[in-house]
Amino acid sequence: MSPALSLSAIGLVVAATIGIGLFGLRISRTTSDFYVASRAVTPRWNASAISGEYLSAASFLGVAGLVLVNGADMLWFSVGYTVGYLMLLVLVAAPLRRSGAYTLPDFAETRFESPLVRRICAGLVVGIGTLYLLPQLHGAGLAVQTVTGAPPQVGAMIVAVIVVINVAAGGMRSITFVQAFQYWLKLTALATPIFVILLAWHQPTGVLDSLHGAAAEWAEPLSRAGGRDHPLYATYSLLLALCFGTMGLPHVLVRFYTNPDGRAARRTTVVVLALLGLFYLFPPMYAVLGRTFAPDLVGSGGDTVVLELPGRVFPGTAGDLLGALVAAGAFAAFLSTSSGLTVAIAGVIDQDLLRSRLHQWTGGDYVAVNSFRIAALIAMIVPYLAFTVTGALSLADTVGLAFALAASTFCPLLVLGIWWRRMSTTGAAAGLIVGGIAASAAALINVAGAPHGGWPRALVGQPAAWTMPLAFVTVIVVSKLTPDRIPAGTARSMVRLHTPEAVDVDRGPGPAALTNRSPSTSPAPRHAYRPPAAGR
């Protein structure tokens, strides 16, 4: 791999990212532009942007590395990441868009009429977003270190600075353009080397023979390849986390608020399923080819196999060019996902923490857009500081823990909050707290040092199989015990969530409007937005 070519390719990606982001600045003026792109993003454009931000470091580098090291069971990562959007489509996409909320805490307060539930959701959004940002920064550091030998902190710093510039410049409208462009760049960067390798290499049976002879266990499902304990439990727990954690990822949910209406949200999700399915065809191919051309990477964790494989197959100029293309695609993955996460975290920090402080300090004399920009800076500084002190979990494993936390908190809140009218405010708060504490404890144990083996290692390493049911049971039991705490406006909320926009009904007050007032001091009800009429 040529450092000069790879750095040039990364530089072009950075320049294109900043250029497109600055273009977004020209058309981003209102608070709605910064939060939800004025709810005017078409399904195809939005699907490309969602796919761009969803395909993170774990997808671009981590999946191939896990399959390379641990074998066939890790193919479930690709399946789970994609099926998660099917769960979104079936359960929450259209109702969530009809809620009209700007952030997930907005939805929670509107549905449950409780500032406490809103504050808990705000804390969880920041926690999940920070945990998900860590592997993006780790992947950026790994990519720059592989290409140039520079310390990992350099690559992480580059991503952090560029993301803050883009998000602060144009908010959601700006990064929508960036992420749509980056999806197609990532797909091209990942697919092109595979096609070139397969066209140039005329011994496909050699790979199969070497795999069968050298590592038969690696290709067997539910084996103990990679030293995993209780693989059957680990597989099903992983699938639960990935399938149901997607609907709890703050940067994914905020994207559905940018659709014009619920029908557009469903169409967006269908297109996303197709785009993700196409992308995930390629990471397992890198793992299979890596077993033949780069077996030494198995002992190092395998996260660099996508970056190193082109140079291993084609020593010389062809390998350098393909390696530079892959490096550019990898950097696009870090930038797009980090941008989406930063917008989601910044929106919550701005509405639920920063504006109230600025209101006190300035007497209300401040501009909402400027407070969002300050929040974007805070949203990236905290994960970067955490990155400098955390251990070296694999990319996909770290993302898996973020999915488990999301599945154990926001999944019960959304599914039951949308489809069960007897859910109480106390039940919602209890489910968030119990699921959040259980999943967070597992994540912290993994970061600090997981148990050495047996059931403790399996339960902590893949906690969703017990933390998610625990959260659902907690919500249901506590809600049954507190029927007097069912929100008074539940019927009105259900009408808003489940009635198509084309039907002319009185939806009551819509979700929270973004104003210059502090959320904590705004008069109740804090609602001003109504979903647009059909056809607009």
Side-chain angles (χ1 to χ4, degrees), residues 229-324:
D229 294 294
H230 303 286
L232 181 62
Y233 163 83
T235 298
Y236 280 102
S237 186
L238 172 66
L239 280 174
L240 280 175
L242 298 181
C243 291
F244 293 97
T246 301
M247 69 179 64
L249 296 178
H251 65 302
V252 169
L253 293 177
V254 75
R255 271 274 159 215
F256 286 92
Y257 303 140
T258 65
N259 286 115
D261 51 40
R263 180 183 180 187
R266 284 200 177 100
R267 291 175 59 193
T268 296
T269 310
V270 171
V271 179
V272 168
L273 284 169
L275 296 180
L276 294 182
L278 177 62
F279 180 90
Y280 282 123
L281 292 174
F282 299 103
M285 296 184 185
Y286 279 88
V288 172
L289 293 170
R291 276 275 164 168
T292 295
F293 291 105
D296 56 297
L297 296 180
V298 174
S300 63
D303 282 336
T304 62
V305 64
V306 173
L307 296 169
E308 296 193 32
L309 184 64
R312 300 289 186 99
V313 179
F314 302 108
T317 303
D320 291 340
L321 290 172
L322 291 174

